[in-house]
Amino acid sequence: MNHFGIFLRGMLMGAADIVPGVSGGTMAFITGIYDTLLTSIRSVDLDCLRLLLKFDIRGAWDHVNGSFLLALLAGIATSILSLARLISWLLENHPVPLWAFFFGLILASALVLLRQVQGWSIARTLCLVAGLGIAATIALSPTVNMHFGMAGIFLSGFLAICAMILPGISGSFILVLLGMYGTVLSALKSLDLGFILVFAMGAAIGLLTFSRLLHFLLHRFHEATMALLTGFLFGSLLVVWPWKHVLVWIEGSHGQLKPAQQVPVMPLEFTVLTGESSQLVLCLSLMVVGFALVWLIDARWGGKQENPAEQ
């Protein structure tokens, strides 16, 4: 696989992670680099540290598959920095059509992951139902307030990155649940270096910690883990449903009112409750576009998982 191909996959991951729709892990999975990604992350270990202490930079670089990680991270960063302003503006000015697009993305991703689970059993079905139930419960619960200084920023980065590498759970979806999505977007848009540094530190520690647990679960209990993640993804459709009714409002950091708890409603009920147009035709069209994008990506790269043992 050439570096440009890895860079493009990184751009897909970055684009997925900045919207609460598809996880970067899902993009890595359906474009065939998921095992390589986990193996490379896990290679940042004591052996890597020993090589660095010996000033064997080349050895450490090869140990962590540095060329792969550099090209991938460059693609991710390119997408995140270029899309932050656009997504922030769309969320503020056209939230309903944007959530409709996200809904199409996440629905297609859930179906893609559902096809990856082989040999359904009662236990795996229960894992699917459990994941769906957990996500639905979280989606309908009040938003958690993580705005308590640097510790909240660090913990948000830690949790979001754990979700990012899961095939099925979006890191930005976790930020929505934590009430930090808009805050992180604003920090990226304004290049708030202090905020970004603390968030990145939390993300780095979370990535090195959680990748090892995930690698163990996917290799020891692969089908059950995938079923659980797929259920979580189906349940998270409640979060990205475009037509919502706000039950509880909270005051944001700048005095503005922000929704703290929302429930999904039908388009007609949305119009009655809010007095706003449901934009039904536009939203349905964007759902189809989002669905088709993921389906086309899966058709292009799906089913080409690399085996790390062969690398």
Side-chain angles (χ1 to χ4, degrees):
M1 186 184 302
N2 61 48
H3 292 162
F4 183 66
I6 297 170
F7 177 82
L8 291 178
R9 287 163 170 81
M11 289 194 67
L12 287 174
M13 290 181 64
D17 279 313
I18 205 167
V19 299
V22 187
S23 77
T26 300
M27 288 292 104
F29 194 88
I30 67 178
T31 57
I33 61 170
Y34 192 67
D35 282 332
T36 303
L37 174 61
L38 277 187
T39 301
S40 298
I41 294 172
R42 289 177 65 249
S43 296
V44 182
D45 53 14
L46 291 178
D47 290 335
C48 177
L49 180 60
R50 279 193 286 268
L51 289 170
L52 289 174
L53 291 176
K54 294 178 182 177
F55 297 100
D56 186 359
I57 306 301
R58 178 68 183 183
W61 182 263
D62 292 337
H63 180 73
V64 300
N65 199 359
S67 298
F68 168 83
L69 287 178
L70 180 62
L72 192 71
L73 290 173
I76 292 172
T78 299
S79 272
I80 289 177
L81 294 176
S82 61
L83 287 176
R85 289 178 178 273
L86 174 61
I87 298 298
S88 181
W89 181 83
L90 288 172
L91 276 175
E92 183 176 347
N93 295 281
H94 304 284
V96 175
L98 183 62
W99 287 114
F101 178 69
F102 293 167
F103 186 90
L105 291 175
I106 201 170
L107 177 60
S109 298
L111 294 175
V112 167
L113 289 188
L114 188 65
R115 294 190 308 171
Q116 303 294 332
V117 182
Q118 304 296 323
W120 283 97
S121 63
I122 294 177
R124 290 168 188 171
T125 302
L126 289 176
C127 288
L128 177 72
V129 173
L132 194 156
I134 292 170
T137 300
I138 294 173
L140 298 176
S141 300
T143 299
V144 178
N145 183 9
M146 295 293 287
H147 294 86
F148 47 84
M150 292 300 178
I153 298 171
F154 181 91
L155 186 57
S156 296
F158 184 96
L159 295 175
I161 202 70
C162 291
M164 188 199 81
I165 61 173
L166 288 172
I169 306 175
S170 167
S172 49
F173 164 59
I174 295 299
L175 290 177
V176 169
L177 297 182
L178 298 176
M180 291 290 286
Y181 182 64
T183 305
V184 172
L185 273 185
S186 297
L188 289 172
K189 185 173 65 174
S190 61
L191 292 179
D192 184 340
L193 296 182
F195 183 104
I196 293 172
L197 178 61
V198 174
F199 187 86
M201 288 176 58
I205 293 175
L207 186 63
L208 295 177
T209 303
F210 192 68
S211 62
R212 286 161 171 75
L213 173 61
L214 181 59
H215 184 270
F216 170 78
L217 291 175
L218 284 173
H219 282 72
R220 186 74 180 271
F221 311 103
H222 182 270
E223 305 301 332
T225 303
M226 290 301 297
L228 180 70
L229 297 177
T230 303
F232 202 103
L233 195 57
F234 273 115
S236 68
L237 288 170
L238 291 173
V239 175
V240 294
W241 180 252
W243 302 284
K244 306 184 189 78
H245 173 52
V246 180
L247 298 180
V248 179
W249 295 87
I250 59 173
E251 186 173 329
S253 57
H254 299 292
Q256 77 280 21
L257 290 178
K258 301 168 56 179
Q261 185 176 13
Q262 303 178 88
V263 293
V265 296
M266 297 305 292
L268 180 59
E269 186 178 1
F270 172 83
T271 299
V272 172
L273 290 171
T274 65
E276 300 177 13
S277 170
S278 65
Q279 304 178 74
L280 184 60
V281 174
L282 174 61
C283 288
L284 291 177
S285 300
L286 288 172
M287 285 182 184
V288 172
V289 171
F291 188 97
L293 280 176
V294 173
W295 211 253
L296 288 172
I297 291 170
D298 180 57
R300 171 64 178 83
W301 282 308
K304 298 183 179 179
Q305 288 301 305
E306 297 179 359
N307 186 349
E310 298 174 355
Q311 299 172 16

